[in-house]
Amino acid sequence: MPKHAFPTRPARRWFSAIVLIAACSGEASGPGLPLPPDIRTVHATRNPYNALSLIVSLHVRDADSVAVFYATIDPDPAAGSGERTPAVRVYGEAVDVPVLGLWPERTYEVRAIAWGPGGVVTAAPARVMTGSLPPDLPVWTAGGPDPSPGFVLFAAGRYVVVIDNTGRVVWYRAFENGAGLNVMAQPTGRYVARPQTPGPGDIALWVEMDVLGNVTRTFGCARGLAARFHDLISEPDGSYWILCDEVRTLDLSAMGGLPAARVTGTVVQHVAADGTLLWEWSAFDHFDLTDLDPAERTGPSVNWTHGNALDFDAWGNLILSFRSLGEVTKVNPTTGRILWRLGGRRNEFNFVGTTIPAFSRQHGVRVSYPDRLLLLDNVGDPTESRVELYAIDERERTATLVHQRGAGPGMVTPIGGSVQQLHGDRVLAAFGTAGRVVEYDADGRIVWSIAGNAGYVFRAQRIRSLYEPGVGTMR
């Protein structure tokens, strides 16, 4: 389905103020000339998932693309003087146009415009009022002297939310049992999240959402394994890379553990759009139980690897992060062979500019440049969690600390958190349980942040557009 094109839906009973407009019947302007577009009907309705958006459903003929102009009917400095949605390609005669980032409880005038080989036509205006925000939707204040343009995406309680640089919520989607900790915008222009499930034994699935909040598909692990919520990459062909948990009962008595310990190891899978397993890599085939600190191998349940990030380097190799091992691992995605191991008990690198352990319990590992790794070092320094950038020399096996950024003395998140490389050598960082989300410029200055305690933000991500979340932005 093309970007911005959404399947049409029948009128909904939950909104009585549907506006129906007959508009602009096209007539040929001359013999042999193409007909101008004909906007036959317009339905402007509220979005049931989000009071800050509308759905403008059009029935058109002889049009190849459409858009919607919108503005509040009364002067409203906060809401702006009027804007236009991106153009939407038309396939057939019916198309839905999302209108996003609106203000609640405002009356908007919307006007459809259509382009075609025969010219441009604008429909008569329609009016529709946006709904009220849910009473339990959190409120934030944010700001800074020089934020990057765009918006910030994260999960909070029941909600997936997107805020602007002032902290105003401009997009949200509620989930009855909780949104889960992680939400991401994908290069495909869709959001993905792993909402919580009602039962403690349920296998939770990732969900994909379009920009209106409609769930368009789900992601799960092959072989019945449970999907980890920490990371996922969806590909243009519909396939996806996913982190999974595999649990085996093993005898660890020879290494100071129990004779029937339940050991959880990370599995990485590449799964086709139809659910077929295309490729798999298992920690049980490549790591040893002795890679884990002895003190963490003694209980009835052993969280052995705790994979929490996956990314690709410039050559298409997998970069994996294992929190329990304090290790970042490079893997060939064809053969499964380990190419190198950075950090932890099996470290193969000499660290330059820092001490061992250089990082510990890390999160959000990302390839920021072909030879550089960006990560959140949770407790390498137990007094302050820090964003760290390493230059990796694979031939010499050195990892040089280029810079490190903290969010303030005593700002520690033992779990969670993320980093995102932004344009202009900027970085967005979420400090997990410390409740801090900040943006640094290239010199390490904090140029934007959420004021006060933002709550537990497992991952924060900047996006450029509400209409194409994830497109053109770094993970």
Side-chain angles (χ1 to χ4, degrees):
M1 185 176 293
K3 294 169 186 171
H4 303 320
F6 300 91
T8 56
R9 288 173 293 277
R12 298 182 177 90
R13 295 180 180 176
W14 43 261
F15 181 53
S16 59
I18 291 177
V19 184
L20 178 62
I21 303 171
C24 305
S25 295
E27 295 181 2
S29 55
L33 296 178
L35 291 171
D38 179 5
I39 305 176
R40 315 206 90 191
T41 59
V42 178
H43 291 80
T45 63
R46 293 178 185 173
N47 179 2
Y49 297 120
N50 183 337
L52 306 177
S53 61
L54 301 172
I55 306 165
V56 180
S57 301
L58 308 176
H59 181 203
V60 297
R61 287 185 178 177
D62 303 310
D64 53 29
S65 58
V66 295
V68 171
F69 291 100
Y70 60 96
T72 54
I73 62 171
D74 297 317
D76 189 340
S81 59
E83 297 182 62
R84 199 204 82 183
T85 69
V88 176
R89 294 289 297 176
V90 177
Y91 299 88
E93 296 184 353
V95 61
D96 284 357
V97 181
V99 184
L100 308 174
L102 304 178
W103 289 75
E105 302 178 13
R106 304 288 206 284
T107 299
Y108 280 85
E109 184 173 272
V110 299
R111 187 186 295 265
I113 182 171
W115 293 267
V120 182
V121 170
T122 302
R127 289 186 176 181
V128 60
M129 185 175 183
T130 54
S132 303
L133 293 176
D136 63 338
L137 184 68
V139 176
W140 294 273
T141 300
D146 185 27
S148 294
F151 310 94
V152 176
L153 165 72
F154 55 98
R158 288 202 312 129
Y159 295 94
V160 172
V161 296
V162 180
I163 63 172
D164 67 13
N165 282 330
T166 70
R168 180 177 83 91
V169 176
V170 295
W171 191 96
Y172 67 90
R173 170 65 153 88
F175 288 89
E176 182 178 356
N177 298 300
L181 292 175
N182 193 11
V183 59
M184 295 181 288
Q186 295 289 304
T188 56
R190 299 290 175 95
Y191 298 106
V192 295
R194 209 204 68 169
Q196 297 175 3
T197 56
D202 295 343
I203 295 181
L205 298 176
W206 286 82
V207 299
E208 177 186 78
M209 296 168 284
D210 65 23
V211 298
L212 287 171
N214 299 301
V215 173
T216 55
R217 62 187 295 208
T218 59
F219 304 97
C221 293
R223 298 199 295 114
L225 300 183
R228 297 184 63 76
F229 70 83
H230 298 75
D231 215 347
L232 180 140
I233 301 173
S234 52
E235 299 279 15
D237 65 359
S239 67
Y240 54 94
W241 296 82
I242 189 170
L243 296 172
C244 313
D245 276 338
E246 182 175 6
V247 181
R248 297 184 183 181
T249 301
L250 301 176
D251 183 357
L252 304 187
S253 56
M255 57 184 71
L258 298 178
R262 290 179 58 79
V263 178
T264 301
T266 302
V267 172
V268 183
Q269 293 183 345
H270 185 201
V271 182
D274 64 0
T276 301
L277 179 61
L278 301 174
W279 183 86
E280 183 177 76
W281 184 95
S282 173
F284 286 101
D285 298 330
H286 298 275
F287 289 162
D288 294 323
L289 268 297
T290 54
D291 297 345
L292 183 65
D293 187 277
E296 299 186 41
R297 308 195 295 251
T298 58
S301 296
V302 177
N303 185 8
W304 174 32
T305 54
H306 196 103
N308 63 11
L310 73 159
D311 203 2
F312 290 96
D313 70 8
W315 300 273
N317 296 298
L318 273 171
I319 302 296
L320 306 173
S321 170
F322 299 100
R323 174 184 179 268
S324 294
L325 304 182
E327 174 180 325
V328 178
T329 313
K330 182 173 180 175
V331 173
N332 183 304
T334 302
T335 65
R337 183 171 69 91
I338 292 177
L339 302 178
W340 50 248
R341 302 177 71 172
L342 173 70
R345 295 167 64 86
R346 306 300 182 211
N347 173 54
E348 299 174 358
F349 284 75
N350 292 317
F351 284 93
V352 179
T354 186
T355 58
I356 299 291
F359 52 82
S360 180
R361 306 289 182 175
Q362 74 285 345
H363 279 77
V365 175
R366 291 291 184 257
V367 178
S368 62
Y369 296 98
D371 62 346
R372 297 197 173 190
L373 287 179
L374 187 69
L375 57 85
L376 179 68
D377 179 3
N378 288 69
V379 291
D381 177 351
T383 67
E384 183 181 14
S385 299
R386 296 178 296 200
V387 176
E388 295 175 351
L389 179 67
Y390 289 91
I392 307 298
D393 187 328
E394 296 188 354
R395 176 173 295 182
E396 298 297 327
R397 283 295 196 264
T398 60
T400 302
L401 180 64
V402 178
H403 65 63
Q404 55 187 8
R405 318 285 194 216
M411 193 68 65
V412 179
T413 175
I415 60 174
S418 68
V419 293
Q420 181 191 12
Q421 183 72 57
L422 304 176
H423 294 280
D425 287 333
R426 293 177 171 226
V427 173
L428 183 74
F431 284 82
T433 57
R436 187 90 166 124
V437 180
V438 300
E439 179 183 340
Y440 303 94
D441 68 9
D443 296 320
R445 295 184 292 254
I446 294 178
V447 294
W448 179 87
S449 65
I450 296 177
N453 191 311
Y456 182 12
V457 180
F458 178 85
R459 183 186 307 282
Q461 183 185 17
R462 269 208 178 272
I463 60 175
R464 294 182 178 183
S465 167
L466 296 178
Y467 291 91
E468 292 186 314
V471 175
T473 61
M474 300 180 185
R475 297 184 66 240

